[in-house]
Amino acid sequence: IEHFNCHYCKDSLLGKKYIMKEDTQYCTKCYENLFANCCGGCSLPIGCNSKDLSYKDRHWHEQCFKCAKCSRSLVEKAFAARDDLLLCTECYANDYSSKCATCKKTVMPGSRKMEYKGNSWHETCFLCHRCQQPIGTKSFIPKDSGYFCMPCFEKQYAYQCCACKKAITTGGVTYQDKPWHRECFLCIGCRKQLSGQRFTSRENYPYCLECFSNLYAKKCVGCTKPITSLAGAKYISFEERQWHSECFTCMQCSVSLVGRGFLTQRDNILCTDCGREK
């Protein structure tokens, strides 16, 4: 006890106020010089007799911990930080917070809010235009300057697919003035999806080109495969018979007859040279 001195200046601490730090004693003067934090408000050291308030590695005297704009004390009160300044929630809201697009009042910091395309709302003000219930975190669709929850949008605006009878909320296909989901618009023959593909119709039913050709196109006399102008094929027609251009050849010597004279022998066609030989 007789050697109970300040660890730094070695002055005796007997009968004096001292401070312990990491099992080492210091007189108050040395402690303040060595360890006291600088106040972010007045820039003076925060002494042993003052309460040290801290926020994000910054420190203040209790009496200096106040709003940078209105100077009201922030001790044990909600506050916000902006550009290294501390502001009470009222000053922060007036200067920086957005206004609710519905009630026009400030959206206070820390309160639950909705944001969409640059606008903000109190969570309780962001309502479905039809049922007037808060949309919250549920899906919604903007329409005619209003916002609709999905059930209300489907009831008021969405077309119903003529195939599955369910609402079409995005995309869709119109065929013969009727709406379809893209995935429901199928070839009546093979059930292949037709959206984005070339197709044709017969008796108001949609067909892919392949099914239509197989079912309805004329058959080539030469190769017996379908001839369809829908696929861009060129063909020759003669006496109610048709040939692909590449199939319109002499039956005997196979020379192309496109643009040339030819002779017929029963159901066969011949070039003029082969026809004379007969």
Side-chain angles (χ1 to χ4, degrees):
I1 289 288
E2 59 198 36
H3 298 294
F4 189 60
N5 300 330
C6 171
H7 179 74
Y8 190 73
C9 70
K10 307 304 182 184
D11 285 352
S12 173
L13 297 176
L14 293 176
K16 297 179 181 178
K17 184 177 180 180
Y18 65 93
I19 297 171
M20 296 293 295
K21 181 176 175 64
E22 298 176 356
D23 296 328
T24 304
Q25 67 277 2
Y26 298 86
C27 67
T28 56
K29 184 177 179 180
C30 288
Y31 180 86
E32 290 179 1
N33 289 335
L34 292 170
F35 304 113
N37 295 304
C38 184
C39 175
C42 67
S43 301
L44 297 175
I46 302 174
C48 302
N49 295 323
S50 300
K51 185 179 288 188
D52 186 332
L53 302 180
S54 64
Y55 171 73
K56 288 189 175 180
D57 297 325
R58 298 171 64 197
H59 298 263
W60 291 264
H61 293 102
E62 184 175 19
Q63 65 273 19
C64 296
F65 193 61
K66 55 190 178 183
C67 174
K69 186 172 184 183
C70 70
S71 298
R72 282 186 292 184
S73 174
L74 299 178
V75 177
E76 297 183 359
K77 293 181 181 175
F79 63 91
R82 178 82 178 200
D83 300 329
D84 290 333
L85 299 177
L86 299 185
L87 300 168
C88 65
T89 53
E90 289 82 1
C91 287
Y92 183 88
N94 289 335
D95 286 359
Y96 301 109
S97 291
S98 52
K99 300 294 188 290
C100 175
T102 298
C103 71
K104 310 305 179 185
K105 295 180 180 178
T106 299
V107 181
M108 297 297 288
S111 63
R112 296 176 66 88
K113 67 176 181 177
M114 293 292 297
E115 292 181 321
Y116 180 71
K117 288 192 173 181
N119 291 321
S120 299
W121 291 263
H122 296 106
E123 187 179 42
T124 52
C125 291
F126 190 60
L127 308 178
C128 170
H129 192 73
R130 186 173 188 269
C131 67
Q132 293 298 302
Q133 295 300 308
I135 293 174
T137 57
K138 293 180 290 187
S139 297
F140 66 91
I141 295 179
K143 176 74 173 178
D144 298 337
S145 74
Y147 303 91
F148 295 82
C149 63
M150 294 298 289
C152 284
F153 180 84
E154 291 180 3
K155 290 175 184 175
Q156 185 153 335
Y157 290 106
Y159 291 110
Q160 284 191 333
C161 173
C162 62
C164 70
K165 308 305 180 186
K166 293 181 180 178
I168 302 172
T169 56
T170 57
V173 175
T174 300
Y175 173 66
Q176 293 186 340
D177 295 327
K178 295 179 181 178
W180 310 65
H181 290 111
R182 289 181 179 273
E183 59 273 19
C184 293
F185 187 55
L186 308 175
C187 170
I188 198 69
C190 65
R191 310 302 294 169
K192 181 171 68 177
Q193 188 171 318
L194 295 177
S195 177
Q197 307 297 319
R198 292 185 66 195
F199 68 92
T200 187
S201 63
R202 177 86 173 212
E203 297 175 355
N204 293 329
Y205 292 110
Y207 290 88
C208 69
L209 300 187
E210 186 176 356
C211 285
F212 184 85
S213 297
N214 292 334
L215 289 170
Y216 300 112
K218 299 178 184 299
K219 301 298 188 291
C220 174
V221 173
C223 68
T224 70
K225 293 180 180 179
I227 299 172
T228 170
S229 58
L230 293 167
K234 294 182 179 179
Y235 66 98
I236 307 296
S237 181
F238 176 70
E239 293 183 348
E240 298 185 355
R241 291 185 294 167
Q242 288 80 30
W243 292 260
H244 293 109
S245 291
E246 61 272 20
C247 298
F248 192 57
T249 58
C250 175
M251 185 272 297
Q252 187 164 315
C253 70
S254 299
V255 68
S256 174
L257 299 177
V258 177
R260 299 178 55 176
F262 60 90
L263 302 173
T264 60
Q265 186 181 68
R266 293 183 296 276
D267 290 336
N268 299 321
I269 56 172
L270 301 167
C271 67
T272 52
D273 292 340
C274 292
R276 290 195 189 97
E277 293 174 5
K278 295 290 183 181

